[in-house]
């Protein structure tokens, strides 16, 4: 009979949640402990599935009902400790979409813009100046500090693929690769050997900013072929509100007329017959999401609008 593992070899399973909402054209994530943690907790065995356990746990702890939910990733690195710094923890993370609810107190869950943690990811008004002015120079110094010519070449290639030139070449989906590169270069406070002058961006405890980066990357890729962004919309909305939602998630601007043609061609929305009462200009038509289209598109495999300028 195999003896039970020693306490130092014990493994705990926890659930982490990247919960996303949208308010005032800002993509928000639910955080705890003054924004330093994502919602997380031990896996409860009384639930039939991990997802049902996550839903129950999140709704009990935060009073936030979840809409769309999918498993994100399992973080099981051997050297990944728990909050006590000793026991190894396997973290099963989920991505969930909901609508924002106001927090009640200082220690209650708080919504924060994900661009507060990754300010270089917001290209809605053009290339982030942080990349060309701060990040690329620091990464160039790191790349040239490689041990030999091959290492320096490999580092320069990774910088070019992840961050481009800071002006035009940019892949919005590489959120995790960019964070991990900054981590390896010691340019974020979470790094094992952080630089004295890290790049701007709010840090998180443990590896929660890495989990958050994984969730953002997954959602940015997901909205290109499945309209999950409707989970963040009110029941009725204008087409401009819909465009601003997609732009907020993707971190990229979109051409207004092309975006509307793509939405119309996919049959994603239908008019309600009502109009919005806006402060300036003529009222805009209100639309609602045709939810049955999601099932049709899932069967046919049709592509949805790309989240980049067209």
């Amino acid at each position: 009979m195999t003896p039970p593992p020693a306490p130092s070899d014990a493994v705990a399973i926890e659930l982490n949640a990247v919960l996303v909402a949208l308010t005032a054209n800002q993509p928000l994530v639910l955080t705890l402990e003054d924004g330093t943690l994502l919602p997380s907790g031990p896996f409860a065995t009384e639930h039939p599935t991990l997802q049902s356990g996550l839903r129950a746990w999140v709704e009990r702890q935060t009073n936030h009902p979840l809409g769309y939910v999918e498993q994100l990733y399992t973080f099981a690195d051997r050297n990944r400790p728990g909050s006590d710094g000793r026991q190894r923890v396997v973290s099963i993370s989920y991505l969930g979409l909901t609508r924002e609810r106001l927090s009640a107190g200082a220690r209650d869950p708080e919504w924060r813009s994900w661009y507060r943690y990754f300010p270089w990811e917001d290209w809605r008004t053009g290339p982030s100046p942080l990349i060309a002015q701060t990040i690329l120079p620091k990464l160039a110094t790191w790349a040239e500090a490689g041990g030999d010519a091959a290492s320096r070449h490999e580092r320069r290639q990774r910088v070019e693929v992840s961050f481009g030139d800071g002006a035009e070449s940019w892949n919005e989906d590489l959120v995790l690769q960019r964070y991990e590169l900054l981590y390896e270069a010691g340019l974020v406070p979470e790094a094992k050997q952080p630089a004295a002058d890290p790049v701007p961006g709010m840090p998180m405890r443990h590896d929660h900013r890495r989990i958050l980066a994984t969730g953002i990357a997954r959602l940015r890729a997901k909205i290109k072929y499945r309209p999950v962004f409707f989970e963040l919309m009110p029941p009725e909305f204008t087409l401009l509100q819909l465009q601003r939602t997609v732009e907020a998630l993707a971190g990229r601007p979109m051409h207004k007329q092309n975006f509307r043609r793509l939405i119309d061609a996919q049959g994603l929305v239908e008019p309600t017959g009502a109009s919005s009462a806006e402060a300036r200009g003529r009222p805009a038509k209100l639309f609602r999401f045709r939810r049955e289209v999601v099932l049709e598109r899932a069967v046919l495999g049709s592509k949805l609008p790309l989240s980049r300028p067209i």
Side-chain angles (χ1 to χ4, degrees):
M1 181 176 179
T2 304
S8 60
D9 296 329
V11 176
I13 298 177
E14 71 174 12
L15 301 179
N16 292 102
V18 178
L19 304 180
V20 179
L22 193 107
T23 296
N25 298 326
Q26 283 296 326
L28 309 175
V29 292
L30 193 65
T31 64
L32 305 173
E33 299 290 338
D34 295 324
T36 62
L37 292 173
L38 296 171
S40 61
F43 168 60
T45 57
E46 69 267 18
H47 296 282
T49 67
L50 288 172
Q51 187 173 124
S52 64
L54 176 88
R55 284 183 179 274
W57 181 84
V58 168
E59 293 175 10
R60 183 173 64 251
Q61 295 294 321
T62 67
N63 295 317
H64 285 71
L66 295 180
Y68 176 83
V69 177
E70 70 169 86
Q71 188 170 330
L72 189 59
Y73 194 76
T74 298
F75 296 85
D77 298 346
R78 182 167 293 278
N79 60 350
R80 185 179 189 271
S83 58
D84 61 3
R86 296 187 302 273
Q87 187 180 36
R88 180 187 172 195
V89 173
V90 172
S91 176
I92 302 173
S93 59
Y94 279 81
L95 171 66
L97 306 182
T98 184
R99 293 191 176 96
E100 181 186 8
R101 302 278 183 93
L102 295 178
S103 301
R107 295 186 61 82
D108 287 339
E110 181 179 359
W111 292 101
R112 293 177 183 249
S113 171
W114 74 32
Y115 293 124
R116 185 171 183 174
Y117 299 94
F118 305 100
W120 55 84
E121 294 291 341
D122 190 357
W123 282 49
R124 286 176 290 175
T125 59
S128 171
L130 179 60
I131 295 175
Q133 297 173 9
T134 302
I135 293 177
L136 287 180
K138 289 179 180 293
L139 286 175
T141 300
W142 169 76
E144 295 307 313
D148 52 37
S151 295
R152 292 191 293 272
H153 177 69
E154 187 266 344
R155 287 185 176 189
R156 286 193 294 266
Q157 278 192 321
R158 291 174 60 199
V159 172
E160 182 178 357
V161 169
S162 297
F163 284 94
D165 58 7
E168 295 181 358
S169 57
W170 180 255
N171 185 339
E172 64 272 10
D173 294 348
L174 302 182
V175 185
L176 179 60
Q177 289 90 326
R178 285 188 280 271
Y179 174 74
E180 290 185 332
L181 185 61
L182 293 172
Y183 181 96
E184 183 178 339
L187 296 177
V188 292
E190 297 96 329
K192 294 180 180 179
Q193 295 181 331
D197 185 24
V199 300
M202 183 175 176
M204 302 186 84
R205 290 162 55 189
H206 314 311
D207 57 355
H208 283 207
R209 191 149 63 137
R210 181 188 177 200
I211 297 174
L212 176 56
T214 305
I216 296 172
R218 174 71 63 84
L219 186 54
R220 284 184 169 183
K222 178 75 69 174
I223 63 176
K224 294 178 181 178
Y225 62 89
R226 183 173 178 180
V228 294
F229 44 81
F230 283 105
E231 298 288 349
L232 306 174
M233 302 295 297
E236 298 183 350
F237 48 83
T238 67
L239 292 181
L240 181 59
Q241 289 174 327
L242 180 59
Q243 179 181 338
R244 293 290 183 257
T245 294
V246 177
E247 290 176 335
L249 298 176
R252 299 290 295 261
M254 298 190 70
H255 188 276
K256 180 178 178 181
Q257 284 72 29
N258 287 349
F259 175 80
R260 294 190 177 191
R261 277 196 293 268
L262 285 167
I263 292 295
D264 184 63
Q266 298 291 336
L268 296 176
V269 300
E270 61 185 5
T272 65
S275 299
S276 66
E278 297 182 347
R280 295 184 298 175
R282 62 182 182 180
K285 293 181 180 179
L286 289 172
F287 292 80
R288 56 175 164 255
F289 175 44
R290 295 181 61 220
R291 191 167 293 275
E292 65 273 14
V293 172
V294 174
L295 297 178
E296 296 172 4
R297 297 297 175 190
V299 173
L300 297 175
S302 299
K303 293 292 184 181
L304 295 175
L306 296 176
S307 54
R308 59 170 61 248
I310 300 172

